[in-house]
Amino acid sequence: MATTTYVISVAAQLAGMHPQTLRQYDRLGIVIPARTKGRGRRYTPRDVERLREVQRLSQDEGINLEGIRRILELESQLDHTSEQLAALRREVESLRNQLEKHEERRDRVFAASAQGDVLPLRRGRRASMKRQGGELVHVPRPGALVRIDESGSVILLPRNNR
């Protein structure tokens, strides 16, 4: 996609300045336009807006060119930092989502019936006397693993047998 650019005379006219002023701003690093292969200056609409801002700061606020250069430099750094912050916030959100999914998997506990059926349960949930596949399953505490023997009794398995 081609971006609109202006030669120095048009950009100067749009900004309400003399072309020599634009050359001076380029030399001072205040507004640095793109260059053609023949080294001609090409100003974007954003450059023209910056030129207008430079003029406003100089004429209305009485700020010298070095002060204006520093203000524009700090604004550029602020924009860059804001973009980095937004990217970091997106990354934090993505990591939170990944962690949440991981925690959902990690927080599952399991109970087993006498037939060997394994029942997934959420940590903190009790499946007290829940009928599953013809068997009553009871989880006495979150994170506990149980086995149901042939008589229907619930047997709490020790932690080291997991």
Side-chain angles (χ1 to χ4, degrees), residues 66-101:
E66 182 57 30
I68 292 170
R69 188 190 64 72
R70 185 69 177 135
I71 288 169
L72 294 176
E73 180 182 301
L74 291 170
E75 285 178 347
S76 178
Q77 288 176 2
L78 179 61
D79 290 344
H80 180 69
T81 303
S82 295
E83 290 169 7
Q84 286 179 320
L85 179 60
L88 288 171
R89 284 184 172 153
R90 288 189 298 272
E91 185 177 350
V92 165
E93 185 62 28
S94 173
L95 290 171
R96 279 189 179 138
N97 290 338
Q98 289 176 20
L99 181 61
E100 187 176 300
K101 288 177 184 176

Side-chain angles (χ1 to χ4, degrees), residues 2-31:
T3 304
T4 303
T5 60
Y6 307 107
V7 295
I8 191 167
S9 59
V10 174
Q13 186 177 19
L14 290 171
M17 300 176 173
H18 192 277
Q20 192 59 35
T21 305
L22 275 63
R23 290 183 189 96
Q24 178 70 14
Y25 290 168
D26 185 10
R27 280 191 293 276
L28 295 173
I30 293 174
V31 178

Side-chain angles (χ1 to χ4, degrees), residues 113 117 119 127-138 148:
S113 70
D117 297 326
L119 309 170
S128 57
M129 306 316 284
K130 177 179 175 184
R131 187 166 295 280
Q132 179 75 22
E135 296 292 328
L136 293 178
V137 177
H138 173 72
I148 300 174

Side-chain angles (χ1 to χ4, degrees), residues 47-161:
D47 292 333
V48 173
E49 286 302 313
R50 282 184 69 134
L51 289 166
R52 289 180 183 150
E53 179 65 8
V54 168
Q55 187 174 43
R56 186 192 70 75
L57 290 169
S58 176
Q59 292 177 354
D60 298 349
E61 305 294 330
I63 300 171
N64 66 24
L65 293 179
E66 182 57 30
I68 292 170
R69 188 190 64 72
R70 185 69 177 135
I71 288 169
L72 294 176
E73 180 182 301
L74 291 170
E75 285 178 347
S76 178
Q77 288 176 2
L78 179 61
D79 290 344
H80 180 69
T81 303
S82 295
E83 290 169 7
Q84 286 179 320
L85 179 60
L88 288 171
R89 284 184 172 153
R90 288 189 298 272
E91 185 177 350
V92 165
E93 185 62 28
S94 173
L95 290 171
R96 279 189 179 138
N97 290 338
Q98 289 176 20
L99 181 61
E100 187 176 300
K101 288 177 184 176
H102 176 73
E103 288 295 320
E104 285 174 5
R105 287 190 301 265
R106 189 182 74 82
D107 283 349
R108 290 186 297 175
V109 293
F110 299 90
S113 70
Q115 289 77 26
D117 297 326
V118 177
L119 309 170
L121 303 171
R122 307 279 309 142
R123 187 177 299 277
R125 301 275 186 193
R126 295 192 183 269
S128 57
M129 306 316 284
K130 177 179 175 184
R131 187 166 295 280
Q132 179 75 22
E135 296 292 328
L136 293 178
V137 177
H138 173 72
V139 178
R141 67 178 182 276
L145 191 59
V146 298
R147 182 172 57 84
I148 300 174
D149 65 14
E150 291 77 22
S151 68
S153 300
V154 175
I155 301 169
L156 179 63
L157 298 175
R159 284 187 158 299
N160 58 1
N161 282 0

